[in-house]
Amino acid sequence: MARTSIATVCLSGTLEDRLEAAAAAGFDAVEIFENDLIAASDSPEQIRRRVADLGLTIDLYQPFRDAEAAPPARFAAVQRRLMAKLDLMARLGTDTILVCSSVAPDTIDDDALAADQLRHLAVLAAERGMRIAYEALAWGRHVSTWEHSWEIVRRADHPALGLCLDSFHVLSRAERHTDAYEELASLPGDRIFFLQLADAPRLDMDVLQWSRHHRLFPLQGRLDLAGFTRAVLATGYAGPLSLEVFNDVFRQADPHRTAVDARRSLTALAGELTPAPRLNGIAFAELGVDADAGPELEAQLRTLGFAHTGQHRSKPVQLWEQSRARILLNAGAPTAIRAFALESDDPAASARRASELLARPLPRRRRDSEADLTAVAAPDGTEVFFVRGPAWLDDFLPTGELPTETRIFAIDHLSLAQPFDRYDEAALFYRSVLGMSDDEAGEFAAPFGLMRTLAIRNDDRSVRLSLSVPLLRRGDWAPAVPHPQHITLLTGDITQITGTVPVPANYVDDLAARGVQATTLYDEDAHGSYRQLFTPIVGRRVFFEVVQRVGGYRGYGFANDPVRMAAQRHERIASAAGG
Amino acid sequence: MARTSIATVCLSGTLEDRLEAAAAAGFDAVEIFENDLIAASDSPEQIRRRVADLGLTIDLYQPFRDAEAAPPARFAAVQRRLMAKLDLMARLGTDTILVCSSVAPDTIDDDALAADQLRHLAVLAAERGMRIAYEALAWGRHVSTWEHSWEIVRRADHPALGLCLDSFHVLSRAERHTDAYEELASLPGDRIFFLQLADAPRLDMDVLQWSRHHRLFPLQGRLDLAGFTRAVLATGYAGPLSLEVFNDVFRQADPHRTAVDARRSLTALAGELTPAPRLNGIAFAELGVDADAGPELEAQLRTLGFAHTGQHRSKPVQLWEQSRARILLNAGAPTAIRAFALESDDPAASARRASELLARPLPRRRRDSEADLTAVAAPDGTEVFFVRGPAWLDDFLPTGELPTETRIFAIDHLSLAQPFDRYDEAALFYRSVLGMSDDEAGEFAAPFGLMRTLAIRNDDRSVRLSLSVPLLRRGDWAPAVPHPQHITLLTGDITQITGTVPVPANYVDDLAARGVQATTLYDEDAHGSYRQLFTPIVGRRVFFEVVQRVGGYRGYGFANDPVRMAAQRHERIASAAGG
């Protein structure tokens, strides 16, 4: 894999915090963002030593603004400013400076002048063995496309002047990516001095605001980072893959976590990875159950038709079964979805891929006689096991109890609320580690604020995960259930399900006004319909949902989440009051 | 003042929470948003009783979507749906339903059909003594302007069909407001059935997203709510002024606080208010000083040239003076800017206006012999006093110490960081209560996340306040100084100031590269230049800034805030390590 680099501006904290985080996540290099340097109290020499001690190099100093196509009267000041920055770069020990296309109102629309001035600047850089990477900002005054910046670089024709390509600036403007790729791939690779990578969601807004607030790491957004990177690498470009991501959330999140997320995105994009083995369903979900929650969760499972069929040989873990749905209750842990296991064609390869993608491996939880379950930790701490076949069931001694019901026949999906600043990281983690792809996404107004939801699934939909997050980090007002989680169970006949929270009559009346007769939550898509019921929340986080999919409905009923949340809150308040 | 109303969608919580908050803030009425009703467990009759018990009425049920210009085959279902909603409205005890212009892909571009169908629906409503308010959504499929909606209402010509006007939908599209106002004002007022008010910042983005996430209460944004409201009231419209504000932050904030903010916005917009008396400067700023912070703050004041000139007759409050700058240290309170006093031409009128604008009055803090200081609480709890002349100084017994220095001659401004969800409320509060206007606004990348800053000032700039807020509510990672505050002191010669935190050498070098020689923070505008120094933070929040304004510079140097914050953090870490 190519060298990896990250701009200091991607991370939160002082410059020192950021450098440490980049090194700890295994980056080879950093781009030093000028504002981060200017605010730092350490001298350039101290920063240079620190970077070297951390095993990093500084591969770029950036940005240098409003350099080219300046009115001649201002150009002398530009040259003096560049000289000062080249001095600074010598002290920092870096040799490449990014010049971004001018935005100043006095910029002249004259390619010949731009080329001439950039050649002058390149001469100054070359005198010190340095070089200039020229980048077209998408909102540049006269130069706003990479083709235009290349035209000027070609015209200036100096060996110390090359291009900086930034995926955001190229892809945010490109209407037809594939055409751009052909042209990009025909560039001489040695004239590309630097490659910056950023993804982004597709937003219909001012491109400058989009760029400054909403960039994401590769594969977290909707730009075609894979195609773009392939095209640039096809030129023979041999420099680093460097991340330059301006993101409101990352700017205030723990930089060590963000740096790992960032590094994972580059590995997923360009690394040589173990292919993701085929997954064949959710083997089990494991709930932590504290002393208070145990009886209520057991009662809910029994009412849903589950039987307590097994007891773990060495741990306080119960196995509950009904048809293919298997749930473990792990006594003594906080009440939450603590773990889940996926059926993998090759558990060892699944775990190897996870480790290549910087998943934190978990210590094995086994004794000699027990099955060797391979597990990694997801960003929110959930343990993900990979198993093959039913061998893991041998760790449980039969209780003698057997399931007699078949109202529930499988786990349909798991819903995992994510901490506010780890949502994009979690989505990338599950997508890349498990080789899954995005399914339905939703945004809805919950009683205590807007929520976003994203479902991720494997090809045959045997594994589905739904991630949710509040749009804003919640304050004190939002009550009770900060990170709800649920196990969604599949039934063939939802009329057989009892023990669930009443669906509000106002909701049922609204369905009727729309011509739908149902007393459950209801949704439909082009393929079929969906009915949903749900239990009260146990403890502060966990509940069960039961769904029936009719005629190949593919969604998750996200639009009903606010109704479900309000009904659960009503039920909580009523049962707290009524006993 | 007209009746005041608020849509339940403006507030956070269950429907019950929202109704309570609206009533507590003094609204006359609510709009019931359909999704809030559907998710509620209470029956329509229970909600009706609850609303009446709270002294409210329900003035609108909304929205009814995709009604008009439907393909005839679908229109039967529209009529059935409307009948069901009219039944519901009868149970709720409300008589007006909002029909918003259709967005469905099958909507037909045919005004005659739209008018015909709306007349049919109006007949159904009229049979029950109800009526339909038709609103053009800015993103309606074929009807997206109020002029177009009026054309259709006129054509349909039924007394139970009128217009709903929404300031956002009108002003977000209007290029030339004044033209729109003339036309608006010529409408027959009795054909306007409902008036919804929402402000918004000017954002260059998809109008649907802008509307759904970024609306604000009147006078909090940049739309011309005053002109719009005047134009509509000029028609003779006699219905309520109703707020319909979709805002990500308000949706998750304490609804009682938000409802007061909302009610204040309507009063500021349309109430009959005591005119704001002229303000003539900041008489004093009062710092709470806990036991740890006392010696350090006193030492900082002494180093800056202040003298401890007075001691309060009855309280542990010190008066420190230098020229016109006066600072009180109030021992035993948490270290923070606890209060400030403004010189008012008429303190009683200032306080009356504040109370009309729902400012929380504060109990008088005086004894018989002492000055009667009139005070209200700002949204962040800061106490705002109104004084006239130097009489308040009589509460302090002279210590005998006298200021010998004149390095500082006044308080330039106060900087008050706001809690994350109270920023727009605070800006509206200071703006409306004090009769001040917006000055410079900034957004900058601080070391631990993006910050927004807004300065508010009176006409002659003798009173300036700077408000700041992190763009996102901070999580655990952001350290140490969650809500910094500072008192900015004005000097005539910044070279005389000592005891401040060193400005980073990298910053000074960058200034030099730009041709500016300075060892302070530096800014310039069209009028002049600005130099800034600052002390270390005392406790967790407070410090002093000293500035020199040269040649009429008008700004606040916001762009330097990240450098100042990084330097203060460096100083904190260094002094914690070095002792």
Tab-separated table of all heavy atoms in Angstrom, chain A residues 443-453 468-475 477-479 481 561-562 565 569, chain B residues 9-14 17-18 36 212-213 247-255 421 473:
chain	number	residue	atom	x	y	z
A	443	GLU	N	-34.104	9.728	8.209
A	443	GLU	CA	-33.948	10.815	9.181
A	443	GLU	C	-35.337	11.112	9.692
A	443	GLU	O	-36.261	11.244	8.894
A	443	GLU	CB	-33.355	12.044	8.501
A	443	GLU	CG	-33.086	13.187	9.462
A	443	GLU	CD	-32.457	14.385	8.773
A	443	GLU	OE1	-31.306	14.284	8.331
A	443	GLU	OE2	-33.149	15.408	8.663
A	444	PHE	N	-35.521	11.166	10.999
A	444	PHE	CA	-36.865	11.394	11.503
A	444	PHE	C	-36.826	12.205	12.795
A	444	PHE	O	-35.816	12.234	13.499
A	444	PHE	CB	-37.611	10.076	11.712
A	444	PHE	CG	-36.899	9.109	12.614
A	444	PHE	CD1	-37.063	9.195	13.983
A	444	PHE	CD2	-36.073	8.138	12.095
A	444	PHE	CE1	-36.399	8.320	14.820
A	444	PHE	CE2	-35.396	7.251	12.928
A	444	PHE	CZ	-35.566	7.343	14.297
A	445	ALA	N	-37.943	12.851	13.048
A	445	ALA	CA	-38.067	13.688	14.241
A	445	ALA	C	-38.583	12.834	15.385
A	445	ALA	O	-39.772	12.536	15.456
A	445	ALA	CB	-39.018	14.848	13.974
A	446	ALA	N	-37.696	12.436	16.260
A	446	ALA	CA	-38.088	11.701	17.455
A	446	ALA	C	-38.590	12.711	18.491
A	446	ALA	O	-38.364	13.905	18.352
A	446	ALA	CB	-36.907	10.906	17.978
A	447	PRO	N	-39.276	12.226	19.521
A	447	PRO	CA	-39.830	13.177	20.490
A	447	PRO	C	-38.769	14.115	21.075
A	447	PRO	O	-39.062	15.269	21.358
A	447	PRO	CB	-40.412	12.266	21.580
A	447	PRO	CG	-40.739	10.994	20.881
A	447	PRO	CD	-39.697	10.841	19.813
A	448	PHE	N	-37.539	13.650	21.216
A	448	PHE	CA	-36.536	14.486	21.865
A	448	PHE	C	-35.424	14.920	20.913
A	448	PHE	O	-34.310	15.192	21.336
A	448	PHE	CB	-35.993	13.769	23.104
A	448	PHE	CG	-37.075	13.543	24.109
A	448	PHE	CD1	-37.784	12.350	24.153
A	448	PHE	CD2	-37.451	14.568	24.955
A	448	PHE	CE1	-38.822	12.165	25.050
A	448	PHE	CE2	-38.486	14.397	25.854
A	448	PHE	CZ	-39.179	13.199	25.906
A	449	GLY	N	-35.725	14.984	19.631
A	449	GLY	CA	-34.741	15.494	18.684
A	449	GLY	C	-34.641	14.633	17.447
A	449	GLY	O	-35.119	13.504	17.408
A	450	LEU	N	-33.993	15.190	16.414
A	450	LEU	CA	-33.858	14.465	15.162
A	450	LEU	C	-32.905	13.285	15.310
A	450	LEU	O	-31.912	13.362	16.022
A	450	LEU	CB	-33.329	15.391	14.070
A	450	LEU	CG	-34.278	16.475	13.580
A	450	LEU	CD1	-33.595	17.323	12.513
A	450	LEU	CD2	-35.543	15.868	13.007
A	451	MET	N	-33.226	12.208	14.605
A	451	MET	CA	-32.389	11.010	14.600
A	451	MET	C	-32.030	10.675	13.154
A	451	MET	O	-32.822	10.917	12.239
A	451	MET	CB	-33.168	9.812	15.152
A	451	MET	CG	-33.722	9.972	16.544
A	451	MET	SD	-32.470	9.802	17.823
A	451	MET	CE	-31.855	8.144	17.470
A	452	ARG	N	-30.867	10.077	12.972
A	452	ARG	CA	-30.513	9.497	11.675
A	452	ARG	C	-30.354	8.009	11.833
A	452	ARG	O	-29.887	7.536	12.857
A	452	ARG	CB	-29.190	10.080	11.186
A	452	ARG	CG	-29.403	11.350	10.470
A	452	ARG	CD	-28.194	11.773	9.668
A	452	ARG	NE	-28.472	13.113	9.178
A	452	ARG	CZ	-27.600	14.108	9.168
A	452	ARG	NH1	-26.368	13.910	9.574
A	452	ARG	NH2	-27.945	15.292	8.726
A	453	THR	N	-30.737	7.299	10.803
A	453	THR	CA	-30.653	5.847	10.830
A	453	THR	C	-30.083	5.364	9.518
A	453	THR	O	-30.384	5.919	8.464
A	453	THR	CB	-32.064	5.248	11.040
A	453	THR	OG1	-32.707	5.954	12.092
A	453	THR	CG2	-31.983	3.799	11.424
A	468	SER	N	-28.195	3.890	14.497
A	468	SER	CA	-28.914	5.150	14.638
A	468	SER	C	-28.121	6.100	15.519
A	468	SER	O	-27.283	5.683	16.308
A	468	SER	CB	-30.307	4.928	15.218
A	468	SER	OG	-30.197	4.470	16.540
A	469	VAL	N	-28.404	7.372	15.351
A	469	VAL	CA	-27.668	8.385	16.104
A	469	VAL	C	-28.527	9.649	16.172
A	469	VAL	O	-29.225	9.976	15.220
A	469	VAL	CB	-26.319	8.678	15.410
A	469	VAL	CG1	-26.488	9.493	14.145
A	469	VAL	CG2	-25.340	9.379	16.341
A	470	PRO	N	-28.490	10.348	17.313
A	470	PRO	CA	-29.123	11.667	17.321
A	470	PRO	C	-28.296	12.627	16.467
A	470	PRO	O	-27.069	12.526	16.439
A	470	PRO	CB	-29.108	12.080	18.793
A	470	PRO	CG	-28.036	11.255	19.424
A	470	PRO	CD	-27.905	10.003	18.610
A	471	LEU	N	-28.966	13.540	15.779
A	471	LEU	CA	-28.283	14.472	14.885
A	471	LEU	C	-27.332	15.386	15.653
A	471	LEU	O	-26.326	15.849	15.130
A	471	LEU	CB	-29.339	15.344	14.208
A	471	LEU	CG	-29.071	15.768	12.785
A	471	LEU	CD1	-29.007	14.574	11.875
A	471	LEU	CD2	-30.168	16.710	12.307
A	472	LEU	N	-27.698	15.678	16.889
A	472	LEU	CA	-26.869	16.510	17.766
A	472	LEU	C	-26.619	15.732	19.053
A	472	LEU	O	-27.486	14.986	19.488
A	472	LEU	CB	-27.591	17.813	18.123
A	472	LEU	CG	-27.866	18.766	16.969
A	472	LEU	CD1	-28.759	19.903	17.428
A	472	LEU	CD2	-26.564	19.309	16.409
A	473	ARG	N	-25.474	15.954	19.643
A	473	ARG	CA	-25.240	15.345	20.943
A	473	ARG	C	-26.309	15.863	21.905
A	473	ARG	O	-26.563	17.059	21.983
A	473	ARG	CB	-23.853	15.735	21.443
A	473	ARG	CG	-23.367	14.935	22.632
A	473	ARG	CD	-22.185	15.592	23.292
A	473	ARG	NE	-21.088	15.842	22.384
A	473	ARG	CZ	-20.170	14.950	22.048
A	473	ARG	NH1	-20.216	13.742	22.553
A	473	ARG	NH2	-19.201	15.275	21.206
A	474	ARG	N	-26.947	14.948	22.617
A	474	ARG	CA	-28.050	15.331	23.486
A	474	ARG	C	-27.578	16.039	24.751
A	474	ARG	O	-26.544	15.693	25.311
A	474	ARG	CB	-28.836	14.086	23.919
A	474	ARG	CG	-29.487	13.349	22.778
A	474	ARG	CD	-30.655	14.148	22.210
A	474	ARG	NE	-31.204	13.474	21.044
A	474	ARG	CZ	-32.073	12.467	21.115
A	474	ARG	NH1	-32.493	12.013	22.264
A	474	ARG	NH2	-32.529	11.918	20.014
A	475	GLY	N	-28.386	16.987	25.204
A	475	GLY	CA	-28.110	17.667	26.464
A	475	GLY	C	-28.927	17.062	27.593
A	475	GLY	O	-29.434	15.945	27.486
A	477	TRP	N	-31.816	17.784	28.772
A	477	TRP	CA	-33.256	17.692	28.648
A	477	TRP	C	-33.702	16.321	28.156
A	477	TRP	O	-34.675	15.756	28.655
A	477	TRP	CB	-33.772	18.797	27.729
A	477	TRP	CG	-35.086	18.476	27.078
A	477	TRP	CD1	-35.309	18.248	25.750
A	477	TRP	CD2	-36.339	18.316	27.728
A	477	TRP	NE1	-36.619	17.973	25.535
A	477	TRP	CE2	-37.285	17.997	26.733
A	477	TRP	CE3	-36.766	18.395	29.044
A	477	TRP	CZ2	-38.616	17.778	27.019
A	477	TRP	CZ3	-38.110	18.161	29.325
A	477	TRP	CH2	-39.016	17.862	28.326
A	478	ALA	N	-32.983	15.774	27.142
A	478	ALA	CA	-33.397	14.494	26.573
A	478	ALA	C	-33.313	13.419	27.653
A	478	ALA	O	-32.277	13.213	28.256
A	478	ALA	CB	-32.508	14.135	25.393
A	479	PRO	N	-34.379	12.734	27.913
A	479	PRO	CA	-34.440	11.876	29.086
A	479	PRO	C	-34.087	10.424	28.815
A	479	PRO	O	-34.075	9.981	27.676
A	479	PRO	CB	-35.911	11.962	29.462
A	479	PRO	CG	-36.596	12.096	28.155
A	479	PRO	CD	-35.644	12.796	27.216
A	481	VAL	N	-33.412	7.395	27.826
A	481	VAL	CA	-32.919	6.298	26.987
A	481	VAL	C	-31.916	6.839	25.967
A	481	VAL	O	-32.257	7.067	24.813
A	481	VAL	CB	-34.090	5.610	26.249
A	481	VAL	CG1	-33.604	4.359	25.534
A	481	VAL	CG2	-35.204	5.266	27.231
A	561	ASP	N	-40.356	5.014	13.848
A	561	ASP	CA	-39.571	5.079	15.085
A	561	ASP	C	-40.094	6.136	16.072
A	561	ASP	O	-40.159	5.865	17.276
A	561	ASP	CB	-38.090	5.327	14.773
A	561	ASP	CG	-37.381	4.050	14.309
A	561	ASP	OD1	-38.072	3.030	14.085
A	561	ASP	OD2	-36.148	4.072	14.167
A	562	PRO	N	-40.479	7.341	15.615
A	562	PRO	CA	-40.971	8.321	16.590
A	562	PRO	C	-42.221	7.840	17.323
A	562	PRO	O	-42.368	8.097	18.518
A	562	PRO	CB	-41.302	9.554	15.726
A	562	PRO	CG	-40.502	9.395	14.487
A	562	PRO	CD	-40.397	7.913	14.255
A	565	MET	N	-41.112	5.332	19.853
A	565	MET	CA	-40.423	5.952	20.983
A	565	MET	C	-41.405	6.664	21.919
A	565	MET	O	-41.283	6.583	23.142
A	565	MET	CB	-39.351	6.920	20.465
A	565	MET	CG	-38.196	6.173	19.801
A	565	MET	SD	-37.157	7.240	18.736
A	565	MET	CE	-36.103	7.979	19.965
A	569	ARG	N	-42.189	5.655	25.767
A	569	ARG	CA	-42.077	6.622	26.865
A	569	ARG	C	-43.379	6.679	27.666
A	569	ARG	O	-43.348	6.704	28.895
A	569	ARG	CB	-41.734	7.993	26.308
A	569	ARG	CG	-41.606	9.044	27.383
A	569	ARG	CD	-40.847	10.253	26.909
A	569	ARG	NE	-41.013	11.356	27.835
A	569	ARG	CZ	-40.369	11.484	28.988
A	569	ARG	NH1	-39.502	10.560	29.366
A	569	ARG	NH2	-40.580	12.507	29.775
B	9	VAL	N	-44.591	21.450	16.764
B	9	VAL	CA	-43.352	20.951	16.168
B	9	VAL	C	-42.142	21.824	16.521
B	9	VAL	O	-41.009	21.425	16.313
B	9	VAL	CB	-43.538	20.831	14.642
B	9	VAL	CG1	-43.448	22.192	13.980
B	9	VAL	CG2	-42.546	19.861	14.034
B	10	CYS	N	-42.387	23.018	17.051
B	10	CYS	CA	-41.267	23.897	17.446
B	10	CYS	C	-40.549	23.377	18.684
B	10	CYS	O	-39.425	23.802	18.967
B	10	CYS	CB	-41.758	25.300	17.785
B	10	CYS	SG	-42.645	26.141	16.473
B	11	LEU	N	-41.236	22.542	19.463
B	11	LEU	CA	-40.751	22.227	20.812
B	11	LEU	C	-40.344	20.769	20.928
B	11	LEU	O	-40.687	19.942	20.097
B	11	LEU	CB	-41.842	22.568	21.831
B	11	LEU	CG	-42.282	24.042	21.839
B	11	LEU	CD1	-43.538	24.226	22.684
B	11	LEU	CD2	-41.151	24.918	22.371
B	12	SER	N	-39.636	20.465	21.982
B	12	SER	CA	-39.153	19.111	22.244
B	12	SER	C	-40.053	18.415	23.252
B	12	SER	O	-40.736	19.077	24.037
B	12	SER	CB	-37.725	19.195	22.787
B	12	SER	OG	-37.162	17.910	22.936
B	13	GLY	N	-40.044	17.088	23.236
B	13	GLY	CA	-40.750	16.319	24.256
B	13	GLY	C	-41.992	15.631	23.729
B	13	GLY	O	-42.270	15.635	22.532
B	14	THR	N	-42.746	15.039	24.643
B	14	THR	CA	-44.024	14.452	24.266
B	14	THR	C	-45.006	15.591	24.014
B	14	THR	O	-44.752	16.734	24.383
B	14	THR	CB	-44.570	13.573	25.397
B	14	THR	OG1	-44.780	14.408	26.540
B	14	THR	CG2	-43.582	12.472	25.762
B	17	ASP	N	-45.642	17.492	27.159
B	17	ASP	CA	-44.543	18.414	27.509
B	17	ASP	C	-44.676	19.717	26.716
B	17	ASP	O	-44.485	20.815	27.238
B	17	ASP	CB	-43.171	17.811	27.145
B	17	ASP	CG	-42.815	16.560	27.939
B	17	ASP	OD1	-43.215	16.473	29.107
B	17	ASP	OD2	-42.120	15.674	27.381
B	18	ARG	N	-44.978	19.572	25.442
B	18	ARG	CA	-45.002	20.738	24.559
B	18	ARG	C	-46.158	21.674	24.898
B	18	ARG	O	-45.998	22.889	24.900
B	18	ARG	CB	-45.098	20.274	23.103
B	18	ARG	CG	-43.906	19.421	22.678
B	18	ARG	CD	-44.062	18.837	21.285
B	18	ARG	NE	-43.106	17.740	21.107
B	18	ARG	CZ	-42.465	17.448	19.983
B	18	ARG	NH1	-42.692	18.155	18.892
B	18	ARG	NH2	-41.613	16.457	19.918
B	36	ASP	N	-47.142	14.786	15.819
B	36	ASP	CA	-47.120	14.834	17.280
B	36	ASP	C	-48.395	14.211	17.843
B	36	ASP	O	-48.363	13.546	18.885
B	36	ASP	CB	-46.979	16.291	17.762
B	36	ASP	CG	-45.642	16.885	17.344
B	36	ASP	OD1	-44.666	16.127	17.222
B	36	ASP	OD2	-45.583	18.110	17.121
B	212	ARG	N	-36.244	22.663	6.901
B	212	ARG	CA	-36.465	21.602	7.883
B	212	ARG	C	-35.500	21.622	9.048
B	212	ARG	O	-35.752	21.025	10.087
B	212	ARG	CB	-36.338	20.235	7.192
B	212	ARG	CG	-37.496	19.961	6.290
B	212	ARG	CD	-37.870	18.500	6.316
B	212	ARG	NE	-39.052	18.294	5.488
B	212	ARG	CZ	-39.205	17.272	4.672
B	212	ARG	NH1	-38.246	16.366	4.570
B	212	ARG	NH2	-40.305	17.148	3.974
B	213	HIS	N	-34.353	22.261	8.850
B	213	HIS	CA	-33.315	22.186	9.893
B	213	HIS	C	-32.922	23.524	10.490
B	213	HIS	O	-32.419	23.572	11.594
B	213	HIS	CB	-32.052	21.531	9.319
B	213	HIS	CG	-32.247	20.128	8.873
B	213	HIS	ND1	-32.273	19.078	9.753
B	213	HIS	CD2	-32.455	19.592	7.648
B	213	HIS	CE1	-32.472	17.946	9.081
B	213	HIS	NE2	-32.600	18.232	7.805
B	247	ASN	N	-36.225	23.408	13.798
B	247	ASN	CA	-34.840	23.741	14.116
B	247	ASN	C	-34.218	22.583	14.885
B	247	ASN	O	-34.752	22.144	15.902
B	247	ASN	CB	-34.826	25.042	14.944
B	247	ASN	CG	-33.429	25.441	15.361
B	247	ASN	OD1	-32.811	24.768	16.186
B	247	ASN	ND2	-32.931	26.511	14.776
B	248	ASP	N	-33.089	22.097	14.400
B	248	ASP	CA	-32.450	20.921	14.998
B	248	ASP	C	-32.137	21.118	16.474
B	248	ASP	O	-32.239	20.180	17.268
B	248	ASP	CB	-31.130	20.607	14.275
B	248	ASP	CG	-31.341	20.162	12.843
B	248	ASP	OD1	-32.505	20.029	12.423
B	248	ASP	OD2	-30.335	19.948	12.138
B	249	VAL	N	-31.733	22.332	16.822
B	249	VAL	CA	-31.337	22.587	18.212
B	249	VAL	C	-32.571	22.691	19.101
B	249	VAL	O	-32.658	22.039	20.149
B	249	VAL	CB	-30.479	23.867	18.306
B	249	VAL	CG1	-30.173	24.203	19.755
B	249	VAL	CG2	-29.189	23.693	17.510
B	250	PHE	N	-33.557	23.481	18.672
B	250	PHE	CA	-34.768	23.636	19.489
B	250	PHE	C	-35.475	22.296	19.688
B	250	PHE	O	-36.102	22.063	20.722
B	250	PHE	CB	-35.760	24.620	18.843
B	250	PHE	CG	-35.211	26.011	18.626
B	250	PHE	CD1	-35.792	26.863	17.691
B	250	PHE	CD2	-34.116	26.479	19.341
B	250	PHE	CE1	-35.307	28.147	17.482
B	250	PHE	CE2	-33.621	27.763	19.136
B	250	PHE	CZ	-34.217	28.598	18.199
B	251	ARG	N	-35.386	21.416	18.698
B	251	ARG	CA	-36.080	20.133	18.778
B	251	ARG	C	-35.574	19.254	19.916
B	251	ARG	O	-36.184	18.237	20.232
B	251	ARG	CB	-35.861	19.338	17.491
B	251	ARG	CG	-36.827	19.640	16.385
B	251	ARG	CD	-36.512	18.666	15.261
B	251	ARG	NE	-37.136	18.986	13.994
B	251	ARG	CZ	-38.393	18.674	13.675
B	251	ARG	NH1	-39.163	18.057	14.547
B	251	ARG	NH2	-38.852	18.976	12.480
B	252	GLN	N	-34.423	19.585	20.449
B	252	GLN	CA	-33.889	18.747	21.523
B	252	GLN	C	-33.558	19.558	22.773
B	252	GLN	O	-32.932	19.047	23.688
B	252	GLN	CB	-32.685	17.926	21.031
B	252	GLN	CG	-31.555	18.716	20.424
B	252	GLN	CD	-30.562	19.199	21.432
B	252	GLN	OE1	-29.918	18.394	22.094
B	252	GLN	NE2	-30.451	20.512	21.556
B	253	ALA	N	-34.020	20.803	22.809
B	253	ALA	CA	-33.739	21.647	23.978
B	253	ALA	C	-34.933	21.634	24.935
B	253	ALA	O	-36.052	21.309	24.549
B	253	ALA	CB	-33.452	23.070	23.516
B	254	ASP	N	-34.702	22.026	26.156
B	254	ASP	CA	-35.773	22.121	27.153
B	254	ASP	C	-36.923	22.969	26.595
B	254	ASP	O	-36.757	24.147	26.305
B	254	ASP	CB	-35.178	22.766	28.406
B	254	ASP	CG	-36.216	22.959	29.507
B	254	ASP	OD1	-37.421	22.895	29.214
B	254	ASP	OD2	-35.810	23.191	30.650
B	255	PRO	N	-38.120	22.379	26.448
B	255	PRO	CA	-39.211	23.099	25.780
B	255	PRO	C	-39.688	24.328	26.561
B	255	PRO	O	-40.203	25.277	25.956
B	255	PRO	CB	-40.314	22.051	25.656
B	255	PRO	CG	-40.008	21.033	26.696
B	255	PRO	CD	-38.516	21.023	26.842
B	421	ASP	N	-27.363	25.226	23.554
B	421	ASP	CA	-28.712	25.418	22.995
B	421	ASP	C	-29.349	26.758	23.329
B	421	ASP	O	-30.539	26.921	23.092
B	421	ASP	CB	-29.717	24.292	23.298
B	421	ASP	CG	-29.360	23.382	24.419
B	421	ASP	OD1	-28.481	23.725	25.204
B	421	ASP	OD2	-29.969	22.310	24.505
B	473	ARG	N	-22.550	20.725	20.601
B	473	ARG	CA	-22.379	20.532	22.040
B	473	ARG	C	-21.128	19.673	22.241
B	473	ARG	O	-20.966	18.641	21.590
B	473	ARG	CB	-23.594	19.807	22.616
B	473	ARG	CG	-23.666	19.819	24.129
B	473	ARG	CD	-24.671	18.801	24.627
B	473	ARG	NE	-25.993	19.003	24.076
B	473	ARG	CZ	-26.890	19.867	24.541
B	473	ARG	NH1	-26.587	20.608	25.577
B	473	ARG	NH2	-28.075	19.977	23.986
